[in-house]
Amino acid sequence: MGKHERHFKMNTNVFCNRTLNMKRINYIGLDMDHTLVRYHSANFEGLAHRIMREKLVQKKSYPKSILKLKFDFERAIRGLVIDKVKGNLLKLSRHTAIRVSSHGTEPIDYNKQNRIYKSTYIDIKDKNFDKVDTTFSIAFATLFAQLVDLKDGEEKSKLPDFVTIASDLNFVLDEAHRDGSLKDVVRSDLPQYIIKDPGIVAGLERYLKHNKKFFIATNSEYSYAKLLLDYTINPYLKGGRTWQDIFSYTIVKARKPNFFFEDTPFLRIDSSTGETSPLVGTLTPGIYECGNADQFTTELGLEPDEILYIGDHIYGDIVRLKKDCAWRTALVVEELDREVHGLKRAQPYIKRINALMEKKIPLEAGIDDLISRRIETGHNKNEKRINEMIKKSQELDKKISPLIKKQQSLFNPHWGEVMRVGIEESYFAYQVERFACIYMARLNHLLDVSPRTYFRSVKRPLPHELIVAN
Ligand SMILES: [Mg+2]
């Protein structure tokens, strides 16, 4: 590795898709849930799973047997797509081709998958598909798969069809968010669900010294935002300051992604009573409800590319923003920590797989060459050699396949890596690459680097360029 390359690799915890000069960024916008405020996600999703089951029994007359279903946080990953008609979970490649799938919780083997879906690309805008876009959807996908299992088995007559199961799940999950049943439990036991991290506050304060300004734009309502910010930010501030001294603007019920492309007016919130009133005049620092990105940018006298918005929801925070508003983007991908750790541990397996592939590829080419000659000349004189070579190639496959399994076991046991599917990029990785200027596992990783950092994108070789590189 040359001196030059080492220089490019300095910020190993923040990854760059599009060059971003932090000196140019004056305002940093933060989503709250899973971005500024981290959750004990397995606990929170376990809670959502339980409340959804209870509501299905109470409100939708589902059989009581579903109350016994266990939650397993590993059962689904972000980026999966739910086929509501067929009761399947799908993991897609960057071209939206299905690469891994399950019916309920049962893996579908490759041949069967091909019979069901042929080799078509999925149209993910189709209303028969739901996306697992955020960590808040893991419980949904898991319970859907478990209910599909029950519908296929012992509770066949007591459960509706798969599409109705999905819509019932949407109904109870929405209600759990709306009627406060989820948030009341969180409120009653914050340490169980919310992570407190002094590093975040220290990082924010350091950025403030560089004259960077912060704002929050969250879809949560004021009382919940206040609860979490009082709990995670205030204890680490000195001199009687509160989170309101850190964030120039706090925008609650922002209705993202609509916030980025509609022109909903801002309402001012009285921080002591939580009451709203129409905004008179222009925006001044404070707490607001609703609003829109365009007015925010204009009234603060900013150019759109002076604002960096950081969120964890690939669609709600990032994709629509990038399509409709010219702010810069950063995505928090919680799973990255595990992914990078797994990649490091996978290196010995990858080396052995590559060494075996180096033997296999010329062998395959040799077989094809001999068979071609047989077809073209009509002579069978190489038959014995061909058979020997095929046998050798099969022996190599036998060595390669357990190594691939071992490599995959370092990631999610059911779905493998979040960002890859086999050698291809996953659909999720494609969206990250296309819409997030930078991405990292946690907000701290950005706050840990200098606010003067120049993030440079790396050159991604195209297939035809590799021939020269090699
Ligand atoms: Mg969020």
Side-chain angles (χ1 to χ4, degrees):
M1 197 191 291
K3 231 181 184 177
H4 209 52
E5 284 168 73
R6 265 204 299 278
H7 173 72
F8 281 131
K9 293 197 177 195
M10 58 181 191
N11 299 310
T12 49
N13 288 324
V14 180
F15 308 99
C16 179
N17 290 317
R18 259 172 307 286
T19 296
L20 173 69
N21 183 0
M22 288 300 289
K23 292 188 204 76
R24 168 84 183 147
I25 300 298
N26 289 317
Y27 265 79
I28 299 174
L30 299 167
D31 166 55
M32 185 180 72
D33 298 299
H34 288 293
T35 300
L36 174 60
V37 175
R38 284 165 63 213
Y39 281 70
H40 291 293
S41 295
N43 295 351
F44 185 85
E45 289 307 287
L47 171 67
H49 189 266
R50 177 174 62 99
I51 292 179
M52 279 194 283
R53 280 180 286 134
E54 289 167 0
K55 281 184 181 290
L56 285 172
V57 173
Q58 289 159 14
K59 302 277 169 84
K60 297 281 175 185
S61 309
Y62 277 47
K64 286 211 171 100
S65 59
I66 72 163
L67 296 175
K68 284 190 234 123
L69 292 172
K70 295 259 180 304
F71 177 65
D72 172 8
F73 189 59
E74 298 275 61
R75 186 40 80 181
I77 56 170
R78 269 214 287 179
L80 295 184
V81 168
I82 300 171
D83 180 340
K84 294 186 277 188
V85 176
K86 297 188 173 74
N88 298 341
L89 299 188
L90 313 171
K91 186 177 174 193
L92 307 180
S93 75
R94 68 172 298 143
H95 305 294
T96 72
I98 301 165
R99 290 290 177 258
V100 190
S101 59
S102 74
H103 177 67
T105 65
E106 270 311 297
I108 301 175
D109 73 48
Y110 181 76
N111 292 330
K112 194 171 174 197
Q113 180 183 294
N114 263 352
R115 275 202 308 281
I116 302 171
Y117 292 103
K118 312 287 184 289
S119 57
T120 50
Y121 289 172
I122 292 289
D123 175 9
I124 50 159
K125 289 199 186 89
D126 188 321
K127 63 174 174 36
N128 291 323
F129 297 111
D130 256 354
K131 283 169 283 157
V132 183
D133 265 346
T134 78
T135 311
F136 282 146
S137 311
I138 300 292
F140 180 100
T142 304
L143 188 49
F144 177 75
Q146 290 173 306
L147 293 172
V148 167
D149 288 354
L150 284 179
K151 172 72 184 167
D152 284 343
E154 62 221 69
E155 301 289 10
K156 188 171 176 43
S157 58
K158 293 184 194 156
L159 288 172
D161 59 76
F162 301 145
V163 175
T164 312
I165 289 177
S167 99
D168 289 344
L169 278 170
N170 268 315
F171 173 84
V172 292
L173 184 57
D174 274 357
E175 194 182 77
H177 280 289
R178 244 191 355 255
D179 70 8
S181 35
L182 262 167
K183 280 161 190 166
D184 286 347
V185 182
V186 173
R187 198 184 300 270
S188 70
D189 191 0
L190 286 165
Q192 177 74 6
Y193 300 104
I194 305 295
I195 297 172
K196 263 179 146 172
D197 183 353
I200 293 256
V201 181
L204 293 169
E205 297 230 71
R206 187 159 71 94
Y207 267 61
L208 289 174
K209 284 187 190 147
H210 288 254
N211 245 341
K212 307 288 181 198
K213 302 264 194 303
F214 288 99
F215 67 96
I216 296 173
T218 172
N219 285 358
S220 286
E221 73 267 28
Y222 178 62
S223 63
Y224 189 66
K226 181 176 183 323
L227 172 78
L228 297 197
L229 297 171
D230 283 350
Y231 179 68
T232 56
I233 307 285
N234 290 359
Y236 307 110
L237 292 173
K238 295 194 182 85
R241 288 179 309 146
T242 71
W243 54 267
Q244 291 178 53
D245 297 302
I246 302 284
F247 304 103
S248 315
Y249 294 84
T250 301
I251 305 162
V252 299
K253 279 198 188 169
R255 301 165 64 251
K256 296 172 289 173
N258 303 48
F259 180 83
F260 299 116
F261 58 87
E262 287 183 354
D263 56 358
T264 312
F266 280 92
L267 299 172
R268 198 182 274 281
I269 290 189
D270 181 321
S271 67
S272 51
T273 62
E275 275 169 24
T276 58
S277 58
L279 168 65
V280 181
T282 53
L283 287 166
T284 50
I287 304 171
Y288 294 88
E289 188 174 292
C290 297
N292 65 86
D294 191 37
Q295 188 181 349
F296 185 83
T297 314
T298 313
E299 290 195 8
L300 268 67
L302 298 167
E303 290 297 325
D305 67 352
E306 290 175 71
I307 303 174
L308 173 68
Y309 188 74
I310 310 175
D312 68 290
H313 191 319
I314 185 73
Y315 186 75
D317 289 328
I318 303 296
V319 172
R320 284 311 300 262
L321 188 164
K322 212 64 204 166
K323 284 182 176 170
D324 298 286
C325 157
W327 294 2
R328 305 302 304 273
T329 53
L331 184 73
V332 169
V333 184
E334 284 177 326
E335 298 87 341
L336 263 190
D337 268 345
R338 181 186 189 181
E339 203 105 332
V340 171
H341 183 65
L343 284 175
K344 283 181 188 156
R345 286 174 57 210
Q347 283 314 303
Y349 300 122
I350 292 170
K351 267 193 194 141
R352 279 158 68 195
I353 293 167
N354 287 347
L356 292 165
M357 284 304 287
E358 254 167 53
K359 288 183 189 165
K360 193 187 144 161
I361 291 166
L363 200 59
E364 265 178 0
I367 296 167
D368 284 338
D369 191 37
L370 290 176
I371 293 176
S372 296
R373 261 191 267 168
R374 183 180 69 193
I375 293 166
E376 287 155 25
T377 62
H379 291 305
N380 278 354
K381 60 177 181 181
N382 289 319
E383 214 51 24
K384 198 173 154 211
R385 217 172 129 211
I386 293 174
N387 286 337
E388 277 170 9
M389 284 163 82
I390 290 176
K391 214 173 140 204
K392 259 193 196 164
S393 167
Q394 286 166 342
E395 276 162 16
L396 287 170
D397 280 338
K398 271 188 209 152
K399 287 184 190 163
I400 293 168
S401 97
L403 288 170
I404 291 177
K405 281 213 176 89
K406 275 195 181 142
Q407 183 206 339
Q408 282 304 306
S409 71
L410 299 169
F411 304 96
N412 179 283
H414 309 288
W415 299 100
E417 288 158 85
V418 171
M419 303 290 270
R420 267 200 193 278
V421 47
I423 61 161
E424 292 173 280
E425 286 154 42
S426 65
Y427 184 70
F428 181 73
Y430 157 76
Q431 287 183 304
V432 172
E433 192 238 316
R434 181 146 181 230
F435 297 106
C437 300
I438 55 171
Y439 65 102
M440 58 261 170
R442 278 178 261 146
L443 175 61
N444 308 44
H445 290 156
L446 178 63
L447 297 177
D448 284 347
V449 303
S450 160
R452 300 178 57 78
T453 303
Y454 195 108
F455 293 108
R456 284 185 175 80
S457 58
V458 284
K459 183 177 173 185
R460 293 158 41 87
L462 294 161
H464 75 277
E465 292 172 330
L466 287 168
I467 222 165
V468 182
N470 291 338

